[in-house]
Amino acid sequence: MTKEVKSLWGCIIILFTCIIILAGILIFRLDTAAEDHGATLPPESSSVVATIGDEQVTRAEWNDELRRQYGAMVLEQILTSKAAEKEANSLGIKVTQEEVEWELKQQMRGYDDDEAYFQAMQEQLGMSPEQLRKDLHNRLLMEKIATNNIEVTEEEVEKYLEQHRDVYEPVASYDIAHIVVPTEWEANDILKRVLQDETFTELAKQLSRDEFTANQGGRLGWIDEDDPFINKAELNAATQMSVGEISEPIQVKDGYAIVMLNGKKEVEPEERKALRSRVRKDLALSKTPPLTDWEEALRKKYNAAIKDTAFAEQHG
């Protein structure tokens, strides 16, 4: 499985979870409000949330449809979460905040910074940082339950890591900008102008022949050191540079480039240690039934039951 495919599956899981969370919030918000008003629906339940021509869609109609489509699924998710908490308590299993933060950092790879990631999740999924952390906590807890009695040897970890370096090996990342021109003379002239305090960004917009980056001031963004789509000579230069440094002209396919390094993210020894734990967990998960089977087993173990007949029929 490549990094790209793994990331895609991660996004799919997040999207599915997000649908459940948001549907749950919308479905049960009205119920809670009704309880607070003596089991009487609040006036806004009849308010109009959308129109099509002369027809109106009321909030009550909208909530009824949410219940119909997602009610049983949301209830099942709530029961699963409560069953997992009971099982974790009985086994003495906990998920630490450090584990959640490390997992969160893995999802942030490819974003400029934490703020950019959280903003993207809010815009794309409607999930706050707190909701993202809660979702990760629940998933990690279920994984620990599923792998509680699974043993993985150091030899298995080494073998698996060797076979899947492209997925697991942590790499350094570099925030790179470049200016591409046809000749070495032009590249040297641009370098001289930058050293004379003309801005790299403006020169890139005016002179760079790379049409994909010129409008962004030459910025390529954060690039992993093993990225196959970036010129190797430029990447190699970036690995040897300090932040803020500008390279000598580098020969590329379309002429010559000068590279500016805006930032770098080095791989820390602690991350490599955490990596082995991740490999160990993935190996353990491969030896146990799917998490969906565990979820169903836990609901049965703790006698989970949906009492509302409408939702029970959906579930059935």
Side-chain angles (χ1 to χ4, degrees):
M1 181 183 293
T2 65
K3 292 178 183 177
E4 291 79 8
V5 172
K6 192 170 185 179
S7 297
L8 178 59
W9 274 109
C11 291
I12 291 172
I13 292 170
I14 291 174
L15 281 167
F16 180 74
T17 304
C18 181
I19 290 172
I20 296 176
I21 292 172
L22 293 179
I25 293 171
L26 292 169
I27 290 169
F28 293 105
R29 181 180 293 167
L30 189 59
D31 288 339
T32 303
E35 292 175 3
D36 293 341
H37 289 76
T40 301
L41 292 178
E44 62 266 23
S45 66
S46 60
S47 64
V48 176
V49 295
T51 60
I52 178 167
D54 295 333
E55 295 184 54
Q56 298 178 337
V57 179
T58 65
R59 188 172 300 277
E61 184 180 355
W62 177 48
N63 274 281
D64 287 343
E65 186 62 18
L66 284 171
R67 286 189 179 90
R68 186 187 67 79
Q69 291 194 40
Y70 302 112
M73 183 168 54
V74 172
L75 279 173
E76 185 176 277
Q77 187 68 23
I78 292 172
L79 293 172
T80 298
S81 179
K82 291 184 179 297
E85 289 175 6
K86 291 179 181 295
E87 183 72 1
N89 288 335
S90 71
L91 296 173
I93 291 174
K94 293 183 179 181
V95 173
T96 67
Q97 189 62 36
E98 289 75 17
E99 290 173 308
V100 172
E101 293 302 322
W102 191 87
E103 195 73 21
L104 193 60
K105 287 294 183 185
Q106 305 316 299
Q107 294 191 8
M108 288 179 178
R109 292 190 64 183
Y111 292 85
D112 288 348
D113 51 35
D114 295 6
E115 184 178 349
Y117 169 78
F118 286 130
Q119 183 177 348
M121 294 301 100
Q122 183 65 52
E123 292 175 353
Q124 297 170 21
L125 305 177
M127 296 182 75
S128 68
E130 292 72 24
Q131 288 171 323
L132 289 166
R133 288 185 170 90
K134 177 65 174 177
D135 177 54
L136 283 175
H137 179 276
N138 291 341
R139 178 167 64 82
L140 292 173
L141 189 66
M142 183 58 69
E143 289 176 348
K144 283 193 173 187
I145 292 171
T147 59
N148 184 51
N149 292 317
I150 303 295
E151 291 188 8
V152 177
T153 66
E154 285 298 315
E155 291 74 17
E156 287 178 295
V157 172
E158 285 295 335
K159 181 179 179 180
Y160 193 80
L161 187 56
E162 185 63 34
Q163 293 174 342
H164 300 83
R165 291 284 178 188
D166 60 321
V167 176
Y168 290 101
E169 185 65 23
V171 296
S173 297
Y174 302 89
D175 187 359
I176 301 171
H178 71 178
I179 300 174
V180 180
V181 290
T183 68
E184 186 176 8
W185 180 88
E186 290 172 283
N188 276 313
D189 182 64
I190 290 173
L191 180 59
K192 190 180 301 182
R193 292 171 65 177
V194 172
L195 296 176
Q196 292 173 349
D197 292 334
E198 292 193 54
T199 64
F200 190 98
T201 299
E202 288 303 316
L203 288 171
K205 290 179 179 179
Q206 297 170 19
L207 303 172
S208 182
R209 297 296 182 90
D210 182 355
E211 60 184 20
F212 297 105
T213 64
N215 289 337
Q216 286 75 46
R219 190 164 184 269
L220 289 161
W222 284 99
I223 307 297
D224 287 347
E225 62 183 342
D226 60 353
D227 193 310
F229 301 106
I230 303 299
N231 182 276
K232 291 295 183 185
E234 291 185 76
L235 264 178
N236 289 337
T239 64
Q240 306 301 315
M241 294 163 61
S242 301
V243 175
E245 187 178 350
I246 299 172
S247 74
E248 295 292 326
I250 300 168
Q251 189 167 11
V252 295
K253 179 181 178 181
D254 296 323
Y256 288 82
I258 56 172
V259 173
M260 181 167 70
L261 182 63
N262 295 316
K264 66 167 61 177
K265 298 176 183 176
E266 303 282 23
V267 178
E268 301 295 334
E270 291 78 10
E271 186 175 349
R272 295 187 184 277
K273 182 179 179 181
L275 171 70
R276 296 184 67 82
S277 296
R278 186 183 186 90
V279 172
R280 185 181 300 279
K281 181 185 75 172
D282 287 350
L283 274 171
L285 286 169
S286 72
K287 296 181 177 184
T288 193
L291 292 184
T292 51
D293 290 357
W294 276 95
E295 292 171 353
E296 182 178 356
L298 287 177
R299 290 194 298 270
K300 289 180 178 179
K301 178 177 180 179
Y302 290 99
N303 301 314
I306 296 177
K307 299 300 184 181
D308 188 293
T309 55
F311 289 155
E313 289 174 3
Q314 287 183 39
H315 181 68

